[in-house]
mmCIF file with all atom_site columns, all heavy atoms in Angstrom:
data_model
loop_
_atom_site.group_PDB
_atom_site.id
_atom_site.type_symbol
_atom_site.label_atom_id
_atom_site.label_alt_id
_atom_site.label_comp_id
_atom_site.label_asym_id
_atom_site.label_entity_id
_atom_site.label_seq_id
_atom_site.pdbx_PDB_ins_code
_atom_site.Cartn_x
_atom_site.Cartn_y
_atom_site.Cartn_z
_atom_site.occupancy
_atom_site.B_iso_or_equiv
_atom_site.pdbx_formal_charge
_atom_site.auth_seq_id
_atom_site.auth_comp_id
_atom_site.auth_asym_id
_atom_site.auth_atom_id
_atom_site.pdbx_PDB_model_num
ATOM 1   N N   . ASP A 1 132 ? -10.035 32.924 5.292  1.00 0.00 ? 234 ASP A N   1
ATOM 2   C CA  . ASP A 1 132 ? -11.369 33.309 4.809  1.00 0.00 ? 234 ASP A CA  1
ATOM 3   C C   . ASP A 1 132 ? -12.196 33.886 5.962  1.00 0.00 ? 234 ASP A C   1
ATOM 4   O O   . ASP A 1 132 ? -12.495 33.195 6.934  1.00 0.00 ? 234 ASP A O   1
ATOM 5   C CB  . ASP A 1 132 ? -12.064 32.073 4.226  1.00 0.00 ? 234 ASP A CB  1
ATOM 6   C CG  . ASP A 1 132 ? -13.343 32.441 3.485  1.00 0.00 ? 234 ASP A CG  1
ATOM 7   O OD1 . ASP A 1 132 ? -13.953 33.485 3.818  1.00 0.00 ? 234 ASP A OD1 1
ATOM 8   O OD2 . ASP A 1 132 ? -13.725 31.691 2.576  1.00 0.00 ? 234 ASP A OD2 1
ATOM 9   N N   . PRO A 1 133 ? -12.574 35.167 5.867  1.00 0.00 ? 235 PRO A N   1
ATOM 10  C CA  . PRO A 1 133 ? -13.287 35.786 6.994  1.00 0.00 ? 235 PRO A CA  1
ATOM 11  C C   . PRO A 1 133 ? -14.642 35.158 7.270  1.00 0.00 ? 235 PRO A C   1
ATOM 12  O O   . PRO A 1 133 ? -15.147 35.247 8.389  1.00 0.00 ? 235 PRO A O   1
ATOM 13  C CB  . PRO A 1 133 ? -13.421 37.257 6.556  1.00 0.00 ? 235 PRO A CB  1
ATOM 14  C CG  . PRO A 1 133 ? -13.234 37.270 5.094  1.00 0.00 ? 235 PRO A CG  1
ATOM 15  C CD  . PRO A 1 133 ? -12.338 36.116 4.758  1.00 0.00 ? 235 PRO A CD  1
ATOM 16  N N   . ARG A 1 134 ? -15.233 34.496 6.275  1.00 0.00 ? 236 ARG A N   1
ATOM 17  C CA  . ARG A 1 134 ? -16.533 33.849 6.522  1.00 0.00 ? 236 ARG A CA  1
ATOM 18  C C   . ARG A 1 134 ? -16.382 32.641 7.434  1.00 0.00 ? 236 ARG A C   1
ATOM 19  O O   . ARG A 1 134 ? -17.327 32.180 8.039  1.00 0.00 ? 236 ARG A O   1
ATOM 20  C CB  . ARG A 1 134 ? -17.184 33.445 5.192  1.00 0.00 ? 236 ARG A CB  1
ATOM 21  C CG  . ARG A 1 134 ? -17.696 34.665 4.421  1.00 0.00 ? 236 ARG A CG  1
ATOM 22  C CD  . ARG A 1 134 ? -17.861 34.398 2.965  1.00 0.00 ? 236 ARG A CD  1
ATOM 23  N NE  . ARG A 1 134 ? -16.594 34.045 2.351  1.00 0.00 ? 236 ARG A NE  1
ATOM 24  C CZ  . ARG A 1 134 ? -16.347 34.122 1.051  1.00 0.00 ? 236 ARG A CZ  1
ATOM 25  N NH1 . ARG A 1 134 ? -17.277 34.544 0.238  1.00 0.00 ? 236 ARG A NH1 1
ATOM 26  N NH2 . ARG A 1 134 ? -15.170 33.787 0.566  1.00 0.00 ? 236 ARG A NH2 1
ATOM 27  N N   . GLN A 1 165 ? -11.263 45.293 -2.097 1.00 0.00 ? 267 GLN A N   1
ATOM 28  C CA  . GLN A 1 165 ? -12.366 44.606 -2.782 1.00 0.00 ? 267 GLN A CA  1
ATOM 29  C C   . GLN A 1 165 ? -13.729 45.077 -2.249 1.00 0.00 ? 267 GLN A C   1
ATOM 30  O O   . GLN A 1 165 ? -13.890 45.248 -1.040 1.00 0.00 ? 267 GLN A O   1
ATOM 31  C CB  . GLN A 1 165 ? -12.256 43.097 -2.537 1.00 0.00 ? 267 GLN A CB  1
ATOM 32  C CG  . GLN A 1 165 ? -10.994 42.462 -3.047 1.00 0.00 ? 267 GLN A CG  1
ATOM 33  C CD  . GLN A 1 165 ? -10.945 42.353 -4.561 1.00 0.00 ? 267 GLN A CD  1
ATOM 34  O OE1 . GLN A 1 165 ? -11.965 42.536 -5.241 1.00 0.00 ? 267 GLN A OE1 1
ATOM 35  N NE2 . GLN A 1 165 ? -9.773  42.073 -5.092 1.00 0.00 ? 267 GLN A NE2 1
ATOM 36  N N   . PRO A 1 166 ? -14.708 45.202 -3.146 1.00 0.00 ? 268 PRO A N   1
ATOM 37  C CA  . PRO A 1 166 ? -16.059 45.557 -2.711 1.00 0.00 ? 268 PRO A CA  1
ATOM 38  C C   . PRO A 1 166 ? -16.877 44.345 -2.261 1.00 0.00 ? 268 PRO A C   1
ATOM 39  O O   . PRO A 1 166 ? -18.026 44.474 -1.875 1.00 0.00 ? 268 PRO A O   1
ATOM 40  C CB  . PRO A 1 166 ? -16.670 46.173 -3.975 1.00 0.00 ? 268 PRO A CB  1
ATOM 41  C CG  . PRO A 1 166 ? -15.950 45.510 -5.099 1.00 0.00 ? 268 PRO A CG  1
ATOM 42  C CD  . PRO A 1 166 ? -14.567 45.175 -4.614 1.00 0.00 ? 268 PRO A CD  1
ATOM 43  N N   . ASP A 1 167 ? -16.285 43.151 -2.343 1.00 0.00 ? 269 ASP A N   1
ATOM 44  C CA  . ASP A 1 167 ? -16.939 41.912 -1.900 1.00 0.00 ? 269 ASP A CA  1
ATOM 45  C C   . ASP A 1 167 ? -15.922 41.077 -1.119 1.00 0.00 ? 269 ASP A C   1
ATOM 46  O O   . ASP A 1 167 ? -14.727 41.353 -1.169 1.00 0.00 ? 269 ASP A O   1
ATOM 47  C CB  . ASP A 1 167 ? -17.420 41.092 -3.107 1.00 0.00 ? 269 ASP A CB  1
ATOM 48  C CG  . ASP A 1 167 ? -18.498 41.829 -3.876 1.00 0.00 ? 269 ASP A CG  1
ATOM 49  O OD1 . ASP A 1 167 ? -19.551 42.098 -3.273 1.00 0.00 ? 269 ASP A OD1 1
ATOM 50  O OD2 . ASP A 1 167 ? -18.247 42.153 -5.051 1.00 0.00 ? 269 ASP A OD2 1
ATOM 51  N N   . ALA A 1 168 ? -16.406 40.031 -0.463 1.00 0.00 ? 270 ALA A N   1
ATOM 52  C CA  . ALA A 1 168 ? -15.531 39.216 0.395  1.00 0.00 ? 270 ALA A CA  1
ATOM 53  C C   . ALA A 1 168 ? -14.732 38.210 -0.433 1.00 0.00 ? 270 ALA A C   1
ATOM 54  O O   . ALA A 1 168 ? -14.921 36.994 -0.334 1.00 0.00 ? 270 ALA A O   1
ATOM 55  C CB  . ALA A 1 168 ? -16.364 38.504 1.447  1.00 0.00 ? 270 ALA A CB  1
ATOM 56  N N   . VAL A 1 169 ? -13.852 38.730 -1.278 1.00 0.00 ? 271 VAL A N   1
ATOM 57  C CA  . VAL A 1 169 ? -13.030 37.844 -2.112 1.00 0.00 ? 271 VAL A CA  1
ATOM 58  C C   . VAL A 1 169 ? -11.548 38.120 -1.836 1.00 0.00 ? 271 VAL A C   1
ATOM 59  O O   . VAL A 1 169 ? -11.159 39.246 -1.535 1.00 0.00 ? 271 VAL A O   1
ATOM 60  C CB  . VAL A 1 169 ? -13.315 38.019 -3.616 1.00 0.00 ? 271 VAL A CB  1
ATOM 61  C CG1 . VAL A 1 169 ? -14.736 37.599 -3.943 1.00 0.00 ? 271 VAL A CG1 1
ATOM 62  C CG2 . VAL A 1 169 ? -13.065 39.441 -4.063 1.00 0.00 ? 271 VAL A CG2 1
ATOM 63  N N   . ALA A 1 170 ? -10.756 37.062 -1.974 1.00 0.00 ? 272 ALA A N   1
ATOM 64  C CA  . ALA A 1 170 ? -9.315  37.175 -1.771 1.00 0.00 ? 272 ALA A CA  1
ATOM 65  C C   . ALA A 1 170 ? -8.625  37.435 -3.101 1.00 0.00 ? 272 ALA A C   1
ATOM 66  O O   . ALA A 1 170 ? -9.165  37.140 -4.159 1.00 0.00 ? 272 ALA A O   1
ATOM 67  C CB  . ALA A 1 170 ? -8.780  35.889 -1.167 1.00 0.00 ? 272 ALA A CB  1
ATOM 68  N N   . TRP A 1 188 ? -6.971  38.774 1.988  1.00 0.00 ? 290 TRP A N   1
ATOM 69  C CA  . TRP A 1 188 ? -8.261  39.457 1.938  1.00 0.00 ? 290 TRP A CA  1
ATOM 70  C C   . TRP A 1 188 ? -8.032  40.930 2.240  1.00 0.00 ? 290 TRP A C   1
ATOM 71  O O   . TRP A 1 188 ? -7.662  41.288 3.367  1.00 0.00 ? 290 TRP A O   1
ATOM 72  C CB  . TRP A 1 188 ? -9.230  38.849 2.946  1.00 0.00 ? 290 TRP A CB  1
ATOM 73  C CG  . TRP A 1 188 ? -9.913  37.603 2.448  1.00 0.00 ? 290 TRP A CG  1
ATOM 74  C CD1 . TRP A 1 188 ? -11.160 37.523 1.902  1.00 0.00 ? 290 TRP A CD1 1
ATOM 75  C CD2 . TRP A 1 188 ? -9.392  36.268 2.428  1.00 0.00 ? 290 TRP A CD2 1
ATOM 76  N NE1 . TRP A 1 188 ? -11.450 36.227 1.552  1.00 0.00 ? 290 TRP A NE1 1
ATOM 77  C CE2 . TRP A 1 188 ? -10.386 35.441 1.856  1.00 0.00 ? 290 TRP A CE2 1
ATOM 78  C CE3 . TRP A 1 188 ? -8.167  35.691 2.821  1.00 0.00 ? 290 TRP A CE3 1
ATOM 79  C CZ2 . TRP A 1 188 ? -10.206 34.073 1.694  1.00 0.00 ? 290 TRP A CZ2 1
ATOM 80  C CZ3 . TRP A 1 188 ? -7.984  34.330 2.658  1.00 0.00 ? 290 TRP A CZ3 1
ATOM 81  C CH2 . TRP A 1 188 ? -9.000  33.536 2.086  1.00 0.00 ? 290 TRP A CH2 1
ATOM 82  N N   . VAL A 1 189 ? -8.187  41.780 1.217  1.00 0.00 ? 291 VAL A N   1
ATOM 83  C CA  . VAL A 1 189 ? -8.073  43.236 1.363  1.00 0.00 ? 291 VAL A CA  1
ATOM 84  C C   . VAL A 1 189 ? -9.461  43.786 1.005  1.00 0.00 ? 291 VAL A C   1
ATOM 85  O O   . VAL A 1 189 ? -9.827  43.843 -0.166 1.00 0.00 ? 291 VAL A O   1
ATOM 86  C CB  . VAL A 1 189 ? -6.984  43.806 0.436  1.00 0.00 ? 291 VAL A CB  1
ATOM 87  C CG1 . VAL A 1 189 ? -6.892  45.321 0.587  1.00 0.00 ? 291 VAL A CG1 1
ATOM 88  C CG2 . VAL A 1 189 ? -5.632  43.153 0.729  1.00 0.00 ? 291 VAL A CG2 1
ATOM 89  N N   . LEU A 1 190 ? -10.227 44.156 2.015  1.00 0.00 ? 292 LEU A N   1
ATOM 90  C CA  . LEU A 1 190 ? -11.655 44.418 1.823  1.00 0.00 ? 292 LEU A CA  1
ATOM 91  C C   . LEU A 1 190 ? -12.008 45.847 2.202  1.00 0.00 ? 292 LEU A C   1
ATOM 92  O O   . LEU A 1 190 ? -11.405 46.427 3.117  1.00 0.00 ? 292 LEU A O   1
ATOM 93  C CB  . LEU A 1 190 ? -12.477 43.444 2.683  1.00 0.00 ? 292 LEU A CB  1
ATOM 94  C CG  . LEU A 1 190 ? -12.120 41.956 2.534  1.00 0.00 ? 292 LEU A CG  1
ATOM 95  C CD1 . LEU A 1 190 ? -12.999 41.104 3.451  1.00 0.00 ? 292 LEU A CD1 1
ATOM 96  C CD2 . LEU A 1 190 ? -12.254 41.496 1.083  1.00 0.00 ? 292 LEU A CD2 1
ATOM 97  N N   . GLN A 1 191 ? -13.022 46.375 1.537  1.00 0.00 ? 293 GLN A N   1
ATOM 98  C CA  . GLN A 1 191 ? -13.498 47.715 1.875  1.00 0.00 ? 293 GLN A CA  1
ATOM 99  C C   . GLN A 1 191 ? -14.209 47.698 3.235  1.00 0.00 ? 293 GLN A C   1
ATOM 100 O O   . GLN A 1 191 ? -14.683 46.653 3.684  1.00 0.00 ? 293 GLN A O   1
ATOM 101 C CB  . GLN A 1 191 ? -14.450 48.219 0.782  1.00 0.00 ? 293 GLN A CB  1
ATOM 102 C CG  . GLN A 1 191 ? -13.719 48.453 -0.538 1.00 0.00 ? 293 GLN A CG  1
ATOM 103 C CD  . GLN A 1 191 ? -14.630 48.970 -1.649 1.00 0.00 ? 293 GLN A CD  1
ATOM 104 O OE1 . GLN A 1 191 ? -15.773 49.360 -1.415 1.00 0.00 ? 293 GLN A OE1 1
ATOM 105 N NE2 . GLN A 1 191 ? -14.106 48.958 -2.862 1.00 0.00 ? 293 GLN A NE2 1
ATOM 106 N N   . VAL A 1 194 ? -17.540 46.041 3.683  1.00 0.00 ? 296 VAL A N   1
ATOM 107 C CA  . VAL A 1 194 ? -17.519 44.572 3.593  1.00 0.00 ? 296 VAL A CA  1
ATOM 108 C C   . VAL A 1 194 ? -17.160 43.973 4.953  1.00 0.00 ? 296 VAL A C   1
ATOM 109 O O   . VAL A 1 194 ? -17.801 43.023 5.429  1.00 0.00 ? 296 VAL A O   1
ATOM 110 C CB  . VAL A 1 194 ? -16.525 44.095 2.506  1.00 0.00 ? 296 VAL A CB  1
ATOM 111 C CG1 . VAL A 1 194 ? -16.613 42.575 2.342  1.00 0.00 ? 296 VAL A CG1 1
ATOM 112 C CG2 . VAL A 1 194 ? -16.774 44.796 1.199  1.00 0.00 ? 296 VAL A CG2 1
ATOM 113 N N   . TRP A 1 195 ? -16.145 44.560 5.611  1.00 0.00 ? 297 TRP A N   1
ATOM 114 C CA  . TRP A 1 195 ? -15.800 44.091 6.970  1.00 0.00 ? 297 TRP A CA  1
ATOM 115 C C   . TRP A 1 195 ? -16.989 44.258 7.902  1.00 0.00 ? 297 TRP A C   1
ATOM 116 O O   . TRP A 1 195 ? -17.300 43.374 8.715  1.00 0.00 ? 297 TRP A O   1
ATOM 117 C CB  . TRP A 1 195 ? -14.589 44.861 7.507  1.00 0.00 ? 297 TRP A CB  1
ATOM 118 C CG  . TRP A 1 195 ? -13.267 44.440 6.938  1.00 0.00 ? 297 TRP A CG  1
ATOM 119 C CD1 . TRP A 1 195 ? -12.410 45.206 6.205  1.00 0.00 ? 297 TRP A CD1 1
ATOM 120 C CD2 . TRP A 1 195 ? -12.652 43.147 7.044  1.00 0.00 ? 297 TRP A CD2 1
ATOM 121 N NE1 . TRP A 1 195 ? -11.302 44.471 5.849  1.00 0.00 ? 297 TRP A NE1 1
ATOM 122 C CE2 . TRP A 1 195 ? -11.426 43.216 6.344  1.00 0.00 ? 297 TRP A CE2 1
ATOM 123 C CE3 . TRP A 1 195 ? -13.029 41.944 7.639  1.00 0.00 ? 297 TRP A CE3 1
ATOM 124 C CZ2 . TRP A 1 195 ? -10.554 42.106 6.255  1.00 0.00 ? 297 TRP A CZ2 1
ATOM 125 C CZ3 . TRP A 1 195 ? -12.165 40.844 7.546  1.00 0.00 ? 297 TRP A CZ3 1
ATOM 126 C CH2 . TRP A 1 195 ? -10.958 40.936 6.867  1.00 0.00 ? 297 TRP A CH2 1
ATOM 127 N N   . LEU A 1 198 ? -19.566 41.532 7.221  1.00 0.00 ? 300 LEU A N   1
ATOM 128 C CA  . LEU A 1 198 ? -19.095 40.206 7.655  1.00 0.00 ? 300 LEU A CA  1
ATOM 129 C C   . LEU A 1 198 ? -19.104 40.092 9.176  1.00 0.00 ? 300 LEU A C   1
ATOM 130 O O   . LEU A 1 198 ? -19.468 39.049 9.733  1.00 0.00 ? 300 LEU A O   1
ATOM 131 C CB  . LEU A 1 198 ? -17.678 39.959 7.123  1.00 0.00 ? 300 LEU A CB  1
ATOM 132 C CG  . LEU A 1 198 ? -17.560 39.737 5.608  1.00 0.00 ? 300 LEU A CG  1
ATOM 133 C CD1 . LEU A 1 198 ? -16.085 39.829 5.178  1.00 0.00 ? 300 LEU A CD1 1
ATOM 134 C CD2 . LEU A 1 198 ? -18.135 38.370 5.221  1.00 0.00 ? 300 LEU A CD2 1
ATOM 135 N N   . GLU A 1 201 ? -22.675 39.750 10.334 1.00 0.00 ? 303 GLU A N   1
ATOM 136 C CA  . GLU A 1 201 ? -23.171 38.390 10.060 1.00 0.00 ? 303 GLU A CA  1
ATOM 137 C C   . GLU A 1 201 ? -22.591 37.368 11.030 1.00 0.00 ? 303 GLU A C   1
ATOM 138 O O   . GLU A 1 201 ? -23.207 36.345 11.313 1.00 0.00 ? 303 GLU A O   1
ATOM 139 C CB  . GLU A 1 201 ? -22.828 37.983 8.620  1.00 0.00 ? 303 GLU A CB  1
ATOM 140 C CG  . GLU A 1 201 ? -23.695 38.682 7.588  1.00 0.00 ? 303 GLU A CG  1
ATOM 141 C CD  . GLU A 1 201 ? -23.213 38.495 6.154  1.00 0.00 ? 303 GLU A CD  1
ATOM 142 O OE1 . GLU A 1 201 ? -22.167 37.837 5.940  1.00 0.00 ? 303 GLU A OE1 1
ATOM 143 O OE2 . GLU A 1 201 ? -23.872 39.046 5.253  1.00 0.00 ? 303 GLU A OE2 1
#
Side-chain angles (χ1 to χ4, degrees):
D234 190 334
R236 288 159 299 200
Q267 299 288 347
D269 295 299
V271 295
W290 278 262
V291 179
L292 309 179
Q293 293 181 11
V296 185
W297 284 118
L300 290 167
E303 286 169 358

